[in-house]
Amino acid sequence: MVITMPRGTQDILPEESKKWQYIEEKLRKISDSFCYEEIRTPMFESTELFSRGVGDTTDIVQKEMYTFMDKGNRSITLRPEGTAGTVRSYIENKLFAKTIQPQKLYYVGPMFRYERKQKGRYRQFVQYGVEVIGEESPKIDAEVISLAYNIYKSFGIENIKVSINSLGNPEERQAYNEALVKHFEPRINEFCEDCNNRLYKNPMRILDCKVDAEHELIKNAPKLLEYLGEESKQYFAEVLRHLDALGVKYEVDHNLVRGLDYYTHTAFEIMIDNPEVELKTLCGGGRYNGLIKLLDGPEDKKGIGFALSIERLLLALESENIELPIDDTIDAFVVAMGEKAGDAGVKLTNDLRLAGYKVQSDYFDKKMKAQMKLADRYNAKFSIIIGDSELENGQYVVKDMKTYDQENVEFDNIVKYLEEKLKGEK
Ligand code: HAM
């Protein structure tokens, strides 16, 4: 029987991987403009990093981790997200001692979650994420959110919505959680099993329940905003003010709680704003002021970040009918006829490749017509023809595959000629 790929994974075949390369390159460029530097952390970490960092009561830790014992009897987990590993690395490598603070980091790489497969939800998916760790300022929160927002805009994705909330500091959240327990406890039997489990461990997650979203108790639940102190409210107002200044359109959503435990203060998500698309969340993030200390780093260091998956970015592009400008041409196809010219063709192909051009030729001594057909299939911009007479007078015939114009080009001038013709395209 043919072996198939594991459920929830996908092969990205060449045509598709061109899109991925385009997207990744663009993400790196934008990160660079915003002065974020790349960090690469391992794809697996000690399980404890996630149970402590992401939180024991979260769906990720309870249901979705790929965890196994390695041969040295250590519990290892394939990373389900990038924040915990980045913060671990920040602490372990003492990035807090660097002269530039906060550290502005980004990553692109596969994450693993054992989730139910559906459109836009995979068991292996690629996240691009950023983390700003060190000092705290509302300007940083606004920069991070505007970076996420502008990533979608830069791809031409217009129908998006930023939802934003403040989760306050840990004490405020605690008071709020207590109010929620009081609110839901008397009628918790009307809720799903997950909500029942969450009631005492993580009541805020009930607000986020997909099953019971329409329940009146969710709709009229106490609002977190009412539990925020003056300082938290002030901080949030400042973040919103900076977002206004940066031209980011957002909606304050007091029910936005996010699925990971480490968030404090600013939390946000970016959604597709199109009723026909079922899976809406493209990107999520927020501030995590307690996480550095929780992972035994310096107490005064704070962080904020977000992550998006490339799979869902592609979905958003699809939902807006946006074609990426993928270049599927090659610079030249070398057409050679006859044994001697065939050898010269192999050498020319190699020389042009080493000079940086994208060049292909035929491997099987095909007839001229078949080679020209191949040049077309490869979408060659030029074909360079060598036969016996060309060898004799030291000139190639170069044909522009769009206009069919032909020119004779001296052997020694071919690189220069291509350089001239392809100027502005590279
Ligand atoms: P998250 O909300 O769990 O947050 O995931 C962020 C994004 O990853 C989601 O909005 C979605 O685009 C994508 N994503 C998550 N699961 C899947 C999946 N199974 N298949 C495809 N895409 C998926 C985090 O991971 C946090 N670490 C974000 C963060 C960074 N917060 C602060 N810094």
Side-chain angles (χ1 to χ4, degrees):
M1 221 173 43
V2 180
I3 298 170
T4 55
M5 61 191 160
R7 204 177 161 75
T9 63
Q10 58 174 343
D11 294 321
I12 296 159
L13 302 177
E15 215 172 292
E16 197 63 15
S17 73
K18 287 201 180 86
K19 293 188 196 162
W20 283 71
Q21 284 175 12
Y22 177 88
I23 291 173
E24 283 167 10
E25 200 177 306
K26 203 164 162 116
L27 290 171
R28 287 180 194 285
K29 267 213 185 106
I30 299 176
S31 310
D32 204 41
S33 307
F34 278 71
C35 297
Y36 287 68
E37 293 180 310
E38 189 185 14
I39 184 164
R40 300 187 187 208
T41 62
M43 277 181 226
F44 59 84
E45 299 267 4
S46 300
T47 302
E48 193 194 346
L49 176 67
F50 303 113
S51 51
R52 227 201 298 166
V54 174
D56 266 335
T57 62
T58 59
D59 282 353
I60 293 182
V61 171
Q62 287 200 335
K63 302 184 198 162
E64 296 170 359
M65 295 209 302
Y66 281 93
T67 297
F68 56 94
M69 297 305 281
D70 73 4
K71 293 194 196 311
N73 228 16
R74 300 171 196 93
S75 181
I76 294 292
T77 292
L78 301 185
R79 61 179 184 193
E81 60 101 55
T83 310
T86 305
V87 170
R88 178 207 42 74
S89 177
Y90 175 88
I91 297 167
E92 189 169 345
N93 295 294
K94 301 196 170 50
L95 297 187
F96 49 80
K98 294 262 180 208
T99 44
I100 293 186
Q101 292 294 331
Q103 288 280 295
K104 298 181 22 169
L105 307 165
Y106 82 89
Y107 47 85
V108 188
M111 307 291 160
F112 307 86
R113 295 185 194 176
Y114 190 82
E115 292 205 77
R116 228 168 356 98
K117 192 186 158 2
Q118 66 178 70
K119 199 169 181 190
R121 181 168 291 151
Y122 296 89
R123 290 184 177 170
Q124 177 179 325
F125 55 99
V126 174
Q127 268 189 350
Y128 160 84
V130 312
E131 312 294 347
V132 182
I133 314 174
E135 270 69 65
E136 171 189 41
S137 153
K139 283 189 186 140
I140 297 175
D141 299 38
E143 176 185 289
V144 166
I145 297 168
S146 102
L147 169 56
Y149 179 76
N150 282 302
I151 283 174
Y152 294 103
K153 291 273 166 180
S154 75
F155 282 97
I157 300 169
E158 291 296 332
N159 295 317
I160 52 169
K161 193 171 83 178
V162 180
S163 290
I164 182 168
N165 193 14
S166 172
L167 305 179
N169 65 29
E171 293 79 49
E172 290 155 1
R173 265 175 75 160
Q174 184 56 31
Y176 180 56
N177 276 334
E178 283 164 17
L180 286 178
V181 172
K182 260 205 199 126
H183 178 75
F184 287 112
E185 204 173 28
R187 291 172 62 189
I188 194 67
N189 56 352
E190 294 169 29
F191 285 79
C192 73
E193 195 186 325
D194 276 344
C195 285
N196 273 272
N197 291 333
R198 286 169 185 146
L199 179 63
Y200 299 107
K201 288 189 203 139
N202 199 350
M204 262 163 65
R205 296 281 293 135
I206 298 178
L207 301 175
D208 209 24
C209 178
K210 304 280 174 296
V211 184
D212 296 317
E214 296 302 314
H215 197 291
E216 58 168 316
L217 283 191
I218 291 195
K219 292 192 169 156
N220 66 17
K223 299 279 174 270
L224 181 52
L225 187 68
E226 293 152 20
Y227 291 79
L228 297 188
E230 256 332 291
E231 229 173 89
S232 295
K233 277 190 188 151
Q234 186 63 26
Y235 190 92
F236 191 48
E238 283 283 295
V239 174
L240 299 184
R241 193 170 63 78
H242 287 297
L243 285 177
D244 288 333
L246 292 171
V248 176
K249 294 205 185 68
Y250 57 83
E251 268 172 25
V252 176
D253 174 359
H254 294 301
N255 277 347
L256 181 94
V257 294
R258 306 272 305 128
L260 300 89
D261 272 358
Y262 46 60
Y263 292 111
T264 54
H265 297 284
T266 314
F268 73 100
E269 284 182 346
I270 298 183
M271 252 87 77
I272 300 185
D273 195 10
N274 175 352
E276 280 163 33
V277 180
E278 202 183 318
L279 191 82
K280 297 215 181 310
T281 312
L282 294 175
C283 162
R287 186 159 272 295
Y288 44 84
N289 285 352
L291 184 60
I292 294 97
K293 183 176 164 218
L294 184 74
L295 295 176
D296 299 322
E299 196 165 331
D300 59 334
K301 298 297 175 205
K302 298 167 175 178
I304 181 168
F306 72 82
L308 59 86
S309 69
I310 296 186
E311 287 80 357
R312 294 205 191 162
L313 177 56
L314 283 162
L315 262 185
L317 289 167
E318 194 188 304
S319 81
E320 302 225 341
N321 296 317
I322 296 169
E323 289 283 338
L324 296 176
I326 303 294
D327 179 13
D328 61 353
T329 60
I330 68 169
D331 295 325
F333 192 95
V334 174
V335 174
M337 271 128 11
E339 201 172 311
K340 261 203 192 143
D343 290 355
V346 170
K347 173 90 171 62
L348 173 63
T349 304
N350 192 55
D351 288 349
L352 290 177
R353 286 173 174 171
L354 297 183
Y357 293 98
K358 202 168 159 185
V359 181
Q360 183 59 38
S361 50
D362 154 55
Y363 299 113
F364 309 108
D365 305 326
K366 287 200 179 103
K367 297 225 163 60
M368 167 98 173
K369 212 171 145 193
Q371 291 192 44
M372 290 307 284
K373 215 180 200 169
L374 253 182
D376 259 339
R377 284 208 186 121
Y378 268 98
N379 271 333
K381 291 182 189 127
F382 294 94
S383 55
I384 305 175
I385 301 160
I386 334 173
D388 289 343
S389 59
E390 282 78 18
L391 271 185
E392 229 160 73
N393 53 28
Q395 290 184 326
Y396 302 113
V397 174
V398 181
K399 184 170 170 183
D400 184 315
M401 299 294 282
K402 242 197 210 134
T403 60
Y404 296 116
D405 288 345
Q406 266 183 217
E407 275 186 87
N408 291 340
V409 179
E410 298 283 327
F411 281 4
D412 286 348
N413 274 344
I414 188 69
V415 170
K416 220 159 168 224
Y417 179 87
L418 284 181
E419 189 182 286
E420 198 58 36
K421 288 281 180 183
L422 296 168
K423 220 177 6 201
E425 290 197 24
K426 288 266 150 196

